[in-house]
Amino acid sequence: MKRPKGKGTSRVSKEALKPVDDRKVGKRKAAIKADKGIKRPTKKELKALKDPNKPKRPPSAFFVFLEEFRQEYKRENPNVKAVSAVGKAGGQRWQSLTHDEKAPYEAKAAKRKAEYEKLMRAYDSKKASEADDEELERSKSEVNGEDEASEEEHHEDDEEDDDDEDDEEDD
């Protein structure tokens, strides 16, 4: 039986049907497969890396305004429980405020930011001193570790000498 000739019919070689090795694939695809083996840290792992003693960032002028507005809004609308409703109303009110009306909130935010920067300087200096202390301890332990190893070797040599002397006494 003859095969029909045309565009739709093409012969597939035996090599095309064989499984492909990484060596034959090429550099790029092999590199991508190798990268898949590297595990990225998960969100939980990243959160675990955060220092709980680090000072919290200060709120912006809008959030300082929102703290006061939230209490006022809840007094006026006790039945509204949705956080989104309070946020929307606060956003609309903030946009309607003039620059002069926003000034006290911006001043409070600037004051909080200055306090935050002061706390961060203290935090950074404390963290740097702790890192120096840890480095000092590591270097001391490395030095002591080398001394202990040489003492152990020295001690083992003494024990071998003692064993040799005991053998001589038995003879």
Side-chain angles (χ1 to χ4, degrees):
M1 189 173 198
K2 292 184 178 180
R3 292 187 181 175
K5 294 182 180 178
K7 292 182 181 177
T9 59
S10 63
R11 287 187 144 183
V12 179
S13 67
K14 290 182 180 179
E15 289 181 26
L17 297 174
K18 291 181 181 178
V20 180
D21 283 352
D22 284 344
R23 286 174 271 144
K24 293 180 182 178
V25 170
K27 293 179 182 177
R28 289 186 181 178
K29 288 186 179 179
I32 291 171
K33 286 185 178 183
D35 288 344
K36 287 184 179 180
I38 298 171
K39 186 179 176 185
R40 287 189 225 151
T42 61
K43 288 182 182 180
K44 286 185 179 181
E45 290 172 347
L46 288 175
K47 281 188 177 183
L49 298 176
K50 292 182 181 177
D51 187 2
N53 299 327
K54 186 175 181 179
K56 216 174 164 186
R57 290 187 68 184
S60 65
F62 171 70
F63 282 103
V64 173
F65 161 77
L66 205 57
E67 289 172 0
E68 293 178 13
F69 179 79
R70 192 175 291 119
Q71 294 170 355
E72 181 184 314
Y73 188 82
K74 285 186 177 182
R75 270 188 263 121
E76 293 174 1
N77 305 307
N79 296 336
V80 178
K81 302 286 183 188
V83 175
S84 60
V86 178
K88 277 185 179 180
Q92 290 172 350
R93 178 89 182 273
W94 178 254
Q95 287 178 342
S96 67
L97 293 177
T98 63
H99 182 68
D100 293 336
E101 292 172 328
K102 291 180 182 180
Y105 302 110
E106 290 171 350
K108 287 179 184 177
K111 185 179 176 184
R112 287 188 182 182
K113 186 176 181 181
E115 291 173 5
Y116 167 76
E117 289 172 350
K118 184 179 176 183
L119 289 171
M120 277 303 292
R121 281 192 293 274
Y123 172 78
D124 288 338
S125 64
K126 182 179 177 184
K127 193 172 181 181
S129 67
E130 287 177 0
D132 291 342
D133 291 344
E134 286 179 14
E135 188 175 313
L136 235 172
E137 288 177 19
R138 271 193 231 127
S139 63
K140 284 181 181 178
S141 64
E142 288 174 0
V143 169
N144 291 340
E146 292 174 4
D147 290 343
E148 290 172 4
S150 62
E151 286 177 15
E152 287 176 9
E153 290 174 8
H154 213 35
H155 185 68
E156 288 174 4
D157 292 340
D158 292 341
E159 287 179 1
E160 288 175 7
D161 292 340
D162 291 340
D163 290 342
D164 292 340
E165 291 173 8
D166 290 341
D167 290 339
E168 290 174 7
E169 289 175 9
D170 292 339
D171 289 336

